[in-house]
């Protein structure tokens, strides 16, 4: 994030680097090894979200390498996820819990079908997040990009949601890098229109 904030200061999106104040406080504070700082896509105005989504959709349509950027941002915003919840996390006895397409499940309640995503997050707790109907299109788009056979996940599908070139899941740092690259791409577009949207999108939790 240090690099990203320096970039924003250079481009006049921010007046100063907020990490400088954080580091000053950290030097005077007792370390907390259990602290898990993540970047989240904050609650955006309709205009901000439209601007961000439009930028990433255009980039992904022009260059397939941005398909993951589009998916990560849409997933974080639509499902209220943290960066770490899209990456493998340690569980009991040194095992890693990897987000896979099996975590997306179609359920029928009272005769009504809906999709949900099982999230393993802070506090080693699992929660179910209902998928908005509009989100399914982005899930299908990612799977098409990855060359998977079915438009939507099937039961028992162990494929990582965000696979690396080796076939295993990418780590938290790589997911965060995708997030940062998406924000920088939006900033570049905003520079052409003197937009300050990026300064309102990024926050620490």
């Amino acid at each position: 994030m240090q690099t990203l904030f320096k970039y924003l200061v250079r481009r006049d999106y921010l007046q100063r680097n907020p990490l400088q104040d954080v580091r000053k406080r950290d030097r005077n504070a007792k370390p907390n090894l259990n602290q898990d700082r993540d970047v989240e896509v904050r609650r955006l105005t309709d205009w901000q979200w439209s601007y961000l989504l439009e930028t990433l959709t255009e980039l992904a349509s022009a260059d397939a390498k941005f398909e993951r950027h589009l998916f990560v941002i849409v997933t974080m915003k639509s499902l209220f996820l943290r960066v770490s919840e899209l990456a493998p996390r340690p569980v009991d006895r040194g095992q890693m819990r990897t987000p896979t397409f099996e975590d997306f499940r179609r359920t029928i309640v009272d005769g009504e079908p809906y999709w949900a995503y099982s999230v393993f997050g802070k506090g080693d707790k699992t929660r179910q997040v209902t998928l908005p109907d509009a989100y399914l299109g982005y899930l299908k788009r990612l799977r098409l990009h990855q060359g998977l056979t079915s438009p939507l996940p099937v039961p028992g599908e162990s494929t990582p949601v965000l696979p690396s070139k080796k076939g295993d899941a990418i780590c938290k740092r790589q997911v965060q890098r995708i997030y940062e690259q998406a924000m920088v791409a939006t900033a570049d577009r905003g520079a052409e229109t003197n937009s300050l949207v990026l300064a309102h999108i990024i926050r620490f939790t």
Side-chain angles (χ1 to χ4, degrees):
M1 289 303 292
Q2 181 70 260
T3 301
L4 179 59
F5 279 118
K6 286 181 179 179
Y7 175 88
L8 295 177
V9 171
R10 288 200 308 270
R11 300 299 292 270
D12 293 328
Y13 289 105
L14 298 176
Q15 293 183 348
R16 59 175 297 154
N17 185 343
L19 287 187
Q20 292 177 347
D21 295 332
V22 172
R23 288 185 171 181
K24 288 179 181 178
R25 291 198 303 269
D26 287 347
R27 282 196 294 266
N28 297 324
K30 184 177 180 179
N32 182 356
L33 299 180
N34 294 322
Q35 187 176 19
D36 181 17
R37 280 186 178 165
D38 273 322
V39 179
E40 283 186 305
V41 178
R42 60 168 289 176
R43 188 178 300 276
L44 307 177
T45 66
D46 290 343
W47 179 85
Q48 289 168 337
W49 173 238
S50 176
Y51 185 90
L52 178 59
L53 183 60
E54 179 182 290
T55 297
L56 296 178
T57 300
E58 289 180 357
L59 287 173
S61 296
D63 189 339
K65 75 177 183 180
F66 285 102
E67 289 291 347
R68 289 202 302 183
H69 298 70
L70 174 63
F71 179 80
V72 165
I73 295 300
V74 169
T75 299
M76 291 177 66
K77 172 65 168 60
S78 301
L79 308 187
F80 302 98
L81 301 188
R82 301 176 178 88
V83 164
S84 62
E85 292 172 334
L86 286 173
R89 293 175 66 98
V91 292
D92 293 338
R93 300 178 182 177
Q95 298 294 318
M96 297 296 290
R97 204 279 192 184
T98 299
T100 67
F101 282 113
E102 184 179 17
D103 295 325
F104 291 95
R105 298 175 185 175
R106 186 174 183 269
T107 305
I108 298 178
V109 177
D110 296 331
E112 293 293 330
Y114 72 92
W115 281 84
Y117 181 58
S118 181
V119 182
F120 183 75
K122 278 189 173 182
D124 294 341
K125 296 180 180 179
T126 300
R127 69 182 190 277
Q128 299 292 321
V129 181
T130 301
L131 306 186
D133 290 340
Y135 177 80
L136 295 179
Y138 294 98
L139 181 58
K140 292 177 181 178
R141 179 169 179 155
L142 178 74
R143 290 175 61 81
L144 178 64
H145 168 66
Q146 293 181 355
L148 299 175
T149 56
S150 61
L152 289 170
V154 297
E157 187 172 1
S158 60
T159 304
V161 176
L162 296 172
S164 68
K165 292 181 179 180
K166 296 180 180 180
D168 54 353
I170 63 175
C171 66
K172 175 183 174 181
R173 181 176 297 180
Q174 291 171 305
V175 178
Q176 183 166 314
R177 186 177 300 119
I178 289 173
Y179 171 90
E180 293 174 358
Q181 290 171 347
M183 295 299 102
V184 170
T186 304
D188 285 339
R189 184 186 180 209
E192 299 175 0
T193 58
N194 295 320
S195 171
L196 297 179
V197 64
L198 195 60
H200 300 287
I201 292 177
I202 299 175
R203 75 178 175 101
F204 275 96
T205 60

